[in-house]
Amino acid sequence: QPMYNEDKSLVLVYNGEIYNFQALREELIAAGHTFATHCDSEVLLHGYEQYGGRELVKKLRGMFAFVIWDTKEKKLFGARDMFGIKPMYYTTTKDGEFIFASEIKSMLAHPHFERAVNKNALLPYLTFQYSATEETFFAGVYKLLPAHFFEWKDGEFVTERYWDVDFEAKDGGFEAYSEELDRVVHESVEAHRISDVPVGSFLSGGVDSSYITACLMPEETFSVGFEGEHEKFNETNEAAELSQRLGVKNVRRMISADECFEAFPTIQYHMDEPQSNPSSVPLYFLAKLAAEDVTVVLSGEGADEIFAGYEWYDETPMMRKYKKLPQFLRIAAARVARALPYFKGHDFIIKASGRPEDYFIGQALVFPEREAKAVLRDEYKNGERVHDITGKIYARVKGRDELTKKQYLDLMLWLPGDILLKADKMSMAHSLELRVPFLDKEVMKMAEKIPAKYKITKENTKYILRHAANRTLPDEWANRKKKGFPVPIRLWLREEKYAQIVRRYFESAFAAEFFDTDALIRLLDDHVAGKANNGRKIWTVFTFLVWYKRFFIDFILPVYN
């Protein structure tokens, strides 16, 4: 790269994989196009010639961020895949230069790039734990949103959505859908395994990575856990046992708290923006471990969002009983509850209203907005309101059922902003290509048809996926409750050694620019003393300060030859 077409009127830069490129290549050859290579990159160039950018992106199956410069039209066209698996950022300098990249840090070497913190990013971050707005933590740098393309010509920039999720349930029968789901997952894994090099898989004890692994049957699986902690922070035994049953090699290692704290500034450097999901840390070490043996891995991201695997989507038995009351009564009760001081049952009444718009902001809620403002300096309290961010997304699924609204919000915010961002950044930190077969165009088409009653039952979340996986996996793996990627942050921060590391950041002069540092110290002291569980709040502030120090105090400009 850059790659040109025959007359050099088009030039491409591209990051990702197009899994249906062979079929598109044949279609383009039949239309009269001549190919000089057998790679997927060239399909984008000839596809742009044949269909134009707006139609080309609708035909692609894969993960991608690409930009094409049209020398005849003097037009720049760029696009990002439908789920946001691959990142893309852009900005414009004061001199009118348009800059784009898959990593913000590469922009910092541009002589006209002005490095400054976006003052409006910090408030919503403290609630969401990731950068939740279109503008990033670097002032003036924006994300191209998933399922969007842009055109830039004569200094004018326009962007447009080319695909959207549409959960239109059609009851085709549980067993029939289970069989169809198993087929499309196997087919997606087959498409994602195409490579010139051996393909491994990440493996925890959960159903998602286990299902992908059992479909793939790689030579090696990779797992990490934590040293010296309670067994709930270690799923490597389950991963090793499944690998043994499947007859594949499991490579695993245990990581220590010392290693995690030592690597954390590097992790935030690779992340580009502060992101405080604790699972980023073990994922960094997992990618490092896998990169020692393979260059491509498959992973299970996305299944929870499209098949409803999170506990937040489920209801307790008591809530199911309460929901037998007419919704207008439940909504009225929730309205009253919100107006009253906090009392026992407050959250239950609001959540049971059946209106996720009023309480559900996604899978992470660290600082409630009022608490976030209480620890921030005035200059940083003006970010976009949390419910303004979610409200724009909920507006697109107005009138839909409660589960659909929650899934849609997570697909638009949590998945690209947290799950996929850390998956891409932590794997790319070690030059490892991570592929996610659940987040596939054909799998999504199948998932859109499945009724809510097949996704969540009294027995479990993600029920139909578990049933489909059970055709390939033993019962205990197909039906195991979700753990996520548990990290002992809460326990570490009660140890003097690690509490002191955080304390030094909280007491620093640069922390005082953003925060009421006395309030931060109180959070830490109460946590260390066991008076409160402030682990996630402490970690989220600590993450931002580590990121800021790495990019604005200790930063050394990269040198490109």
Side-chain angles (χ1 to χ4, degrees):
Q1 294 188 33
M3 177 178 276
Y4 295 85
N5 65 344
E6 298 97 321
D7 65 0
K8 296 198 172 183
S9 62
L10 299 176
V11 56
L12 167 83
V13 286
Y14 158 59
N15 177 28
E17 295 285 340
I18 307 299
Y19 300 118
N20 64 336
F21 83 93
Q22 292 169 326
L24 288 173
R25 188 175 186 273
E26 293 304 315
E27 186 179 306
L28 290 163
I29 289 172
H33 292 266
T34 301
F35 282 75
T37 74
H38 291 277
C39 67
D40 59 347
S41 307
E42 196 175 5
V43 165
L44 297 174
L45 282 168
H46 291 294
Y48 185 89
E49 288 177 313
Q50 181 69 26
Y51 312 114
R54 291 167 176 253
E55 291 304 313
L56 170 63
V57 290
K58 297 174 185 177
K59 292 176 174 288
L60 300 177
R61 178 185 185 184
M63 56 178 189
F64 56 83
F66 71 88
V67 174
I68 292 175
W69 172 244
D70 186 329
T71 63
K72 292 179 180 177
E73 294 286 330
K74 301 296 182 186
K75 181 174 72 175
L76 197 66
F77 178 90
R80 190 177 176 198
D81 65 72
M82 54 196 277
F83 296 105
I85 304 167
K86 287 296 178 183
M88 189 191 296
Y89 306 96
Y90 63 89
T91 190
T92 304
T93 70
K94 288 183 178 179
D95 295 326
E97 297 159 302
F98 184 78
I99 308 172
F100 61 89
S102 57
E103 293 184 71
I104 299 175
K105 66 182 70 66
S106 66
M107 296 179 175
L108 308 188
H110 193 285
H112 298 151
F113 182 85
E114 296 183 7
R115 186 160 40 103
V117 173
N118 171 16
K119 293 181 178 180
N120 294 326
L122 191 50
L123 177 64
Y125 160 78
L126 290 179
T127 296
F128 286 108
Q129 83 177 12
Y130 57 88
S131 174
T133 61
E134 200 168 339
E135 187 175 10
T136 70
F137 264 84
F138 289 89
V141 178
Y142 294 83
K143 307 159 193 163
L144 181 65
L145 296 178
H148 279 68
F149 64 77
F150 74 79
E151 292 179 344
W152 184 84
K153 185 176 181 179
D154 297 330
E156 292 190 13
F157 177 87
V158 294
T159 182
E160 188 176 311
R161 175 180 288 276
Y162 65 84
W163 174 84
D164 203 354
V165 182
D166 185 12
F167 285 112
E168 280 292 344
K170 300 173 184 176
D171 196 344
F174 182 80
E175 288 298 334
Y177 273 173
S178 176
E179 184 177 348
E180 183 181 351
L181 177 54
D182 187 46
R183 179 188 60 77
V184 297
V185 170
H186 274 83
E187 191 274 333
S188 180
V189 170
E190 284 302 306
H192 283 71
R193 78 186 305 158
I194 297 171
S195 174
D196 296 329
V197 295
V199 178
S201 70
F202 288 166
L203 182 60
S204 68
V207 61
D208 303 337
S209 64
S210 298
Y211 192 15
I212 295 299
T213 297
C215 294
L216 177 65
M217 293 299 291
E219 291 185 11
E220 291 180 296
T221 62
F222 303 92
S223 314
V224 296
F226 292 98
E227 287 182 353
E229 300 295 347
H230 191 274
E231 61 181 7
K232 72 178 181 178
F233 298 110
N234 178 20
E235 291 186 283
T236 61
N237 292 332
E238 291 96 331
E241 185 182 343
L242 180 62
S243 297
Q244 186 177 22
R245 289 202 193 189
L246 297 175
V248 300
K249 179 183 178 183
N250 178 242
V251 180
R252 57 177 174 159
R253 65 161 292 202
M254 307 302 286
I255 51 181
S256 68
D258 282 351
E259 288 178 289
C260 294
F261 275 88
E262 183 179 346
F264 200 55
T266 300
I267 289 170
Q268 288 307 309
Y269 173 75
H270 286 293
M271 202 71 75
D272 276 328
E273 297 187 81
Q275 201 255 43
S276 71
N277 189 327
S279 64
S280 299
V281 177
L283 186 55
Y284 174 84
F285 288 97
L286 180 59
K288 182 179 181 181
L289 177 68
E292 293 172 4
D293 292 349
V294 297
T295 53
V296 180
V297 291
L298 302 194
S299 189
E301 279 83 357
D304 288 314
E305 289 78 11
I306 65 176
F307 296 110
Y310 292 118
E311 288 184 10
W312 271 97
Y313 297 155
D314 202 1
E315 298 171 346
T316 64
M318 185 175 289
M319 191 172 288
R320 292 190 190 101
K321 289 181 181 178
Y322 182 77
K323 282 193 170 184
K324 290 179 181 179
L325 291 173
Q327 188 177 25
F328 78 91
L329 290 177
R330 290 184 279 118
I331 290 174
R335 190 178 299 119
V336 172
R338 284 196 299 274
L340 293 173
Y342 187 84
F343 59 91
K344 187 176 181 181
H346 176 275
D347 293 347
F348 175 90
I349 291 172
I350 292 173
K351 290 177 183 178
S353 69
R355 280 183 49 84
E357 300 96 317
D358 295 335
Y359 69 89
F360 183 73
I361 68 161
Q363 297 306 318
L365 196 169
V366 183
F367 283 87
E369 196 164 49
R370 184 177 58 199
E371 292 182 27
K373 286 187 174 182
V375 300
L376 284 172
R377 296 292 181 195
D378 288 345
E379 201 173 350
Y380 296 91
K381 293 180 180 180
N382 300 318
E384 193 170 359
R385 295 283 307 275
V386 168
H387 286 289
D388 289 339
I389 293 170
T390 60
K392 289 180 288 189
I393 297 170
Y394 278 126
R396 302 207 294 263
V397 283
K398 189 175 181 179
R400 305 299 291 272
D401 64 272
E402 191 173 352
L403 179 59
T404 292
K405 288 178 179 179
K406 290 179 179 180
Q407 287 184 265
Y408 188 79
L409 186 80
D410 277 339
L411 281 160
M412 297 300 112
L413 274 181
W414 167 257
L415 185 67
D418 189 299
I419 298 295
L420 293 177
L421 184 81
K422 65 184 173 61
D424 181 77
K425 302 290 190 180
M426 296 300 91
S427 57
M428 287 287 98
H430 302 287
S431 300
L432 181 73
E433 183 178 306
L434 186 148
R435 301 178 182 178
V436 283
F438 286 123
L439 295 175
D440 173 76
K441 179 184 282 189
E442 299 305 316
V443 176
M444 190 71 233
K445 284 180 184 176
M446 169 63 211
E448 287 175 328
K449 299 188 299 184
I450 299 173
K453 64 181 180 181
Y454 294 160
K455 289 185 278 192
I456 292 184
T457 69
K458 292 180 181 179
E459 289 78 20
N460 219 329
T461 60
K462 211 160 41 186
Y463 188 74
I464 193 167
L465 180 72
R466 296 176 187 279
H467 192 75
N470 209 178
R471 297 166 183 263
T472 307
L473 287 174
D475 289 352
E476 56 265 45
W477 275 271
N479 297 316
R480 184 173 286 130
K481 289 285 186 181
K482 180 175 177 59
K483 280 190 179 180
F485 208 151
V487 184
I489 296 294
R490 172 177 54 85
L491 302 180
W492 288 345
L493 292 175
R494 286 196 170 126
E495 294 183 35
E496 183 64 21
K497 179 178 182 179
Y498 307 117
Q500 284 302 324
I501 293 173
V502 173
R503 190 180 301 276
R504 285 194 291 273
Y505 273 88
F506 282 9
E507 293 176 342
S508 66
F510 65 86
E513 179 185 339
F514 304 99
F515 297 100
D516 175 349
T517 53
D518 289 339
L520 298 186
I521 295 300
R522 283 195 298 272
L523 282 174
L524 182 60
D525 286 344
D526 287 349
H527 183 81
V528 171
K531 295 179 180 177
N533 179 11
N534 294 328
R536 293 298 295 277
K537 293 176 181 178
I538 294 165
W539 191 256
T540 296
V541 174
F542 174 61
T543 297
F544 168 78
L545 294 174
V546 169
W547 169 84
Y548 179 82
K549 186 172 186 289
R550 184 66 181 80
F551 276 99
F552 288 86
I553 297 175
D554 299 337
F555 184 75
I556 299 174
L557 195 67
V559 177
Y560 298 102
N561 294 322

